């Protein structure tokens, strides 16, 4: 059965390089519009290989770099593994190596998840409090990120919202720790309601191994316990999926470029 996915735009591009380029252009456009509207730009970054390429374009492409309002940006993270910030698995480390260290961003413009804490829940609660303070939120409010970048795993997870995990049912918290039995590791992640309150959400998905899950997420029955990426449906924002030809090979409702 097909289920409507409101507000979603799905575009199939040739490859990961094309996705990174389009994603970087989207990033710059949203950043400029946010700064023009309210004087600041808040973005939640994703881990993975495609964001690495996007980061590279933002700092190395002269046209893109010159258009970014670096002094008005603030970086957050969609999720993090329960590891130290210098661990090869750390999303923060990847962002430092590919973006932060090569940009004019100052330390106070980056809110990282303190995943080195012995208890992942302590990291989640501190990160939640930092977000609340930054956005000046009252109890029950969710942040309004200007942009959230996301990827998707071959089993349909996104951020660190994995199939069958407790974080999928969280509807009050902004960030939680989430034990993922599949990888035998705690993660810290933004919750679906926090992501869904964003003004813009961008998925970037590459690889033939993602094709079955991507098709199920976008064009099959709504079963978010099995396919957590289905939880991502913004309440008042845009949702754009950029997928490569391999990942999008089974889709029937998408714009092929």
């Amino acid at each position: 059965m097909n289920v409507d996915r409101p507000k979603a735009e799905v575009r199939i591009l040739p490859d990961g390089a094309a996705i990174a380029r389009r994603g970087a252009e989207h990033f710059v456009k949203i950043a400029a519009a946010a700064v023009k509207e309210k004087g600041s730009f808040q973005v939640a970054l994703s881990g993975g290989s495609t964001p690495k390429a996007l980061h590279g374009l933002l700092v190395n492409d002269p046209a893109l770099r010159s258009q970014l309002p670096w002094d008005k940006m603030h970086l957050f993270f969609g999720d993090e593994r329960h590891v130290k910030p210098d661990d090869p698995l750390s999303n923060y480390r990847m962002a430092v190596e590919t973006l932060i260290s090569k940009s004019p961003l100052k330390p106070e413009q980056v809110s990282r998840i303190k995943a080195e804490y012995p208890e992942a829940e302590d990291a989640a609660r501190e990160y939640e409090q930092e977000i609340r303070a930054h956005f000046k939120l009252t109890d029950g409010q969710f942040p309004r990120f200007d942009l959230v970048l996301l990827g998707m795993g071959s089993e349909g997870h996104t951020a660190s919202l994995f199939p069958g995990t407790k974080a999928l049912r969280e509807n009050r918290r902004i960030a939680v720790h989430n034990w993922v039995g599949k990888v035998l590791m705690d993660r810290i992640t933004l919750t679906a309601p926090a992501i869904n309150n964003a003004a813009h959400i961008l998925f970037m998905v590459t690889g033939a191994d993602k094709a079955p899950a991507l098709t199920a997420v976008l064009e099959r029955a709504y079963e978010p316990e099995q396919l957590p990426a289905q939880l991502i449906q913004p309440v008042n924002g845009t949702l754009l999926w950029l997928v490569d030809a391999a990942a999008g090979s089974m889709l029937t409702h998408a714009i092929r470029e």
Side-chain angles (χ1 to χ4, degrees):
M1 144 177 136
N2 288 338
V3 175
D4 288 339
R5 296 284 178 259
K7 303 176 184 173
E9 178 182 348
V10 185
R11 291 186 173 271
I12 301 175
L13 304 182
D15 52 29
I19 290 174
R21 169 65 60 176
R22 185 70 60 83
E25 293 168 350
H26 193 63
F27 188 108
V28 169
K29 179 180 177 182
I30 290 170
V35 168
K36 183 177 181 180
E37 179 185 347
K38 59 188 178 65
S40 63
F41 170 58
Q42 286 84 20
V43 57
L45 302 180
S46 172
S49 57
T50 305
K52 283 185 186 179
L54 183 152
H55 295 171
L57 289 170
L58 294 179
V59 294
N60 295 319
D61 183 288
L64 293 172
R65 184 180 178 113
S66 66
Q67 293 178 68
L68 270 180
W70 294 101
D71 60 331
K72 304 291 195 305
M73 291 170 55
H74 197 101
L75 306 186
F76 296 87
F77 290 83
D79 72 319
E80 185 60 276
R81 297 172 178 85
H82 191 206
V83 296
K84 294 180 179 179
D86 60 353
D87 190 287
L89 294 176
S90 166
N91 287 340
Y92 172 73
R93 174 176 169 169
M94 184 273 278
V96 168
E97 292 176 346
T98 61
L99 176 64
I100 297 168
S101 68
K102 299 177 180 180
S103 78
L105 292 167
K106 299 174 181 177
E108 59 267 27
Q109 292 177 263
V110 181
S111 293
R112 74 175 181 90
I113 300 168
K114 305 287 180 56
E116 67 270 25
Y117 289 172
E119 297 296 329
E121 173 62 8
D122 291 340
R125 288 198 176 275
E126 183 174 303
Y127 186 52
E128 183 169 45
Q129 288 306 312
E130 184 167 354
I131 291 173
R132 286 194 178 283
H134 179 89
F135 286 92
K136 299 178 173 60
L137 303 179
T138 59
D139 287 346
Q141 287 186 315
F142 289 103
R144 178 72 163 170
F145 293 109
D146 297 300
L147 175 63
V148 176
L149 301 178
L150 294 172
M152 190 199 74
S154 59
E155 81 293 69
H157 90 267
T158 190
S160 281
L161 303 170
F162 280 79
T165 56
K166 64 179 178 58
L168 304 184
R169 296 177 290 280
E170 178 58 58
N171 57 22
R172 297 172 64 90
R173 296 272 303 273
I174 294 169
V176 294
H177 86 278
N178 198 31
W179 172 256
V180 182
K182 177 188 175 184
V183 294
L184 297 176
M185 180 185 284
D186 247 325
R187 302 284 190 103
I188 301 96
T189 186
L190 291 178
T191 61
I195 295 170
N196 284 333
N197 202 48
H200 303 279
I201 300 171
L202 171 61
F203 272 95
M204 296 181 290
V205 184
T206 61
D209 61 318
K210 311 283 182 68
L214 181 64
T215 305
V217 165
L218 293 173
E219 298 184 358
R220 300 290 183 266
Y222 184 70
E223 299 181 277
E225 278 284 329
Q226 297 187 67
L227 299 163
Q230 289 183 330
L231 289 171
I232 308 306
Q233 297 187 35
V235 293
N236 183 26
T238 70
L239 175 57
L240 173 62
W241 291 77
L242 298 179
V243 307
D244 71 358
S249 62
M250 299 170 62
L251 293 175
T252 57
H253 303 291
I255 301 168
R256 297 179 186 272
E257 295 190 12

